[in-house]
Amino acid sequence: MRRLFAAYFRPHLGWFVGGTLMALATSVCAMGYTFVLKLMGDHLEASFGEAGTSDTSWILQVSAAIVGLTAARALTMYLMTLLNNTGVQRGLVSMQTHEFETLIDGDFARLSADASGGFVSRFINDVNAIRDAALRFANNFTKSAVTTIGCVGAMAWIDWQMTLVMLAAYPIAIAPVISLGNRVRKRSRQSQQQVGEMTSLLSEGFQSARVVKAYGLESYQKGRARTGFAERSRLFLKVLADRAAVDPILEIAGGVALAGILGFAAWRMSSGHMSLGDLLGFIAALGVASPEIRA
C-alpha cells in the first residue's frame, strides 16, 4: 500500500488536496441546514406565541439561506468529484504505464509463463477495482468524517442529552457491519482472482479457435465456460448478499435512534426544556449525518 500510493498517487497530491478542500466545504454547507432549520423553528414558535404578529421577513431569509446552501453544496460536490477523479485517473495512468513497461522489459520466460488473459485482467479488472476503492476513499472519507463529527457536535450543542440517546443506538450496528466487511473483502479477493481466470479462459478460447475446431473440442470449451460463468455468478451473489445486509442493519439502528429521539424530545418539549427549533435542528443534523455514517 505504501508503494502504491507513494509511487503513483503522491505525485498528483495537489488534485486530492483540492478535492479535500471541496469536501470540507460540502460538509460545512450540509451542517448549515441544521442551524437554518433551528432558526426557522424558533421563529415559528415565536410566531405562534405572539398572536397577530406580521413580521414575516424571516421566511424570505430562511428560504434564501436554504437555496444558497443547496447551490454551494452542489457546486462543491461537483468540484470535489472532478478533482478527485482527475487525481485518481492520473495515478492509474502512471500505474498502468509502469506495469506495461515492466512486463515489456522483462524476459520472455516471464511473459510466456502466465496466460495473456491474466495480464489483461490485471490491466483492466484489477485497475478498475483500485480506481473504485480510491474514488470511494477520496470522495467519502473527508466529507463523511467531517460531516458526521460536525453534525454530532451540532446535536450536542443543541441538546447533549438527546445526543447521548442517539449515540447509544448506533454502536449496536458496528459489530455486524465490521463482520460483513471482512467477509466482503475475502470474497471480493476471490472474485478478482476468478475474473482473471475467466479472462484467460476466454482469451485462450478465441485465440485457439483453429485448434478447437481441428480436434473437436467445442464441448470441452463449452463446459469450461459454463463452469466459469456459474462460479462468477456465485461469487458475485455472495458479495452482493453481504453488502446488501449493511443497509438494513443501519436502517434498524437509525429507526431505533429516531424513535428514541422523538419520544425523548416529546417529553422534553412538554416539560419546557426543548424548543421546536431545537427539535427541527436536531432532526436535520441526524438526517444529514445518517447517509454519511452509512458511506
Side-chain angles (χ1 to χ4, degrees):
M1 294 297 292
R2 188 165 54 247
R3 177 182 178 184
L4 176 69
F5 287 101
Y8 305 123
F9 290 107
R10 186 176 294 172
H12 312 289
L13 190 61
W15 295 100
F16 298 110
V17 171
T20 300
L21 293 176
M22 292 299 102
L24 290 173
T26 300
S27 301
V28 171
C29 292
M31 289 183 286
Y33 294 132
T34 299
F35 300 102
V36 170
L37 289 179
K38 182 183 184 310
L39 179 64
M40 183 182 73
D42 290 338
H43 278 294
L44 283 173
E45 195 169 37
S47 299
F48 294 150
E50 298 175 8
T53 182
S54 59
D55 182 15
T56 58
S57 60
W58 63 269
I59 298 177
L60 183 60
Q61 296 172 1
V62 168
S63 300
I66 292 176
V67 171
L69 286 172
T70 302
R73 189 164 187 255
L75 177 61
T76 55
M77 287 181 66
Y78 170 76
L79 292 175
M80 176 193 72
T81 303
L82 190 64
L83 291 169
N84 286 333
N85 270 273
T86 302
V88 169
Q89 289 301 132
R90 293 194 174 195
L92 291 180
V93 169
S94 301
M95 181 189 303
Q96 289 173 309
T97 302
H98 181 226
E99 185 178 9
F100 185 80
E101 290 175 352
T102 301
L103 286 173
I104 291 299
D105 289 339
D107 55 16
F108 179 76
R110 175 69 183 89
L111 285 173
S112 59
D114 294 333
S116 61
F119 291 129
V120 173
S121 179
R122 291 182 188 178
F123 275 97
I124 299 176
N125 298 310
D126 290 356
V127 169
N128 285 341
I130 294 174
R131 181 197 62 198
D132 292 342
L135 285 176
R136 285 178 181 272
F137 182 83
N139 288 332
N140 288 338
F141 180 74
T142 301
K143 180 171 70 72
S144 297
V146 173
T147 302
T148 300
I149 294 171
C151 286
V152 171
M155 286 186 280
W157 175 72
I158 293 172
D159 194 309
W160 65 270
Q161 293 177 328
M162 281 184 55
T163 304
L164 291 179
V165 173
M166 184 272 297
L167 292 176
Y170 270 102
I172 299 174
I174 291 179
V177 168
I178 292 176
S179 176
L180 287 170
N182 291 333
R183 287 165 58 182
V184 167
R185 277 192 293 273
K186 179 180 178 181
R187 285 173 176 166
S188 294
R189 189 179 302 113
Q190 295 173 346
S191 179
Q192 286 298 115
Q193 293 172 351
Q194 204 271 339
V195 167
E197 295 171 1
M198 279 302 303
T199 305
S200 297
L201 187 152
L202 293 173
S203 298
E204 292 170 1
F206 295 136
Q207 291 173 0
S208 59
R210 184 185 297 274
V211 176
V212 170
K213 292 294 184 181
Y215 291 93
L217 298 174
E218 290 90 349
S219 297
Y220 172 72
Q221 288 291 78
K222 290 177 183 178
R224 290 181 66 199
R226 190 180 301 112
T227 301
F229 293 144
E231 178 65 10
R232 174 63 180 160
S233 177
R234 185 186 70 84
L235 290 173
F236 175 79
L237 289 176
K238 283 185 175 295
V239 172
L240 182 65
D242 289 336
R243 287 179 175 173
V246 173
D247 275 345
I249 292 173
L250 293 176
E251 189 72 24
I252 293 173
V256 171
L258 183 59
I261 287 170
L262 292 177
F264 192 60
W267 174 74
R268 287 180 62 77
M269 290 181 69
S270 64
S271 60
H273 293 100
M274 188 177 194
S275 67
L276 176 61
D278 292 338
L279 178 60
L280 290 178
F282 197 94
I283 292 177
L286 181 61
V288 171
S290 293
E292 303 300 340
I293 293 173
R294 294 187 181 191

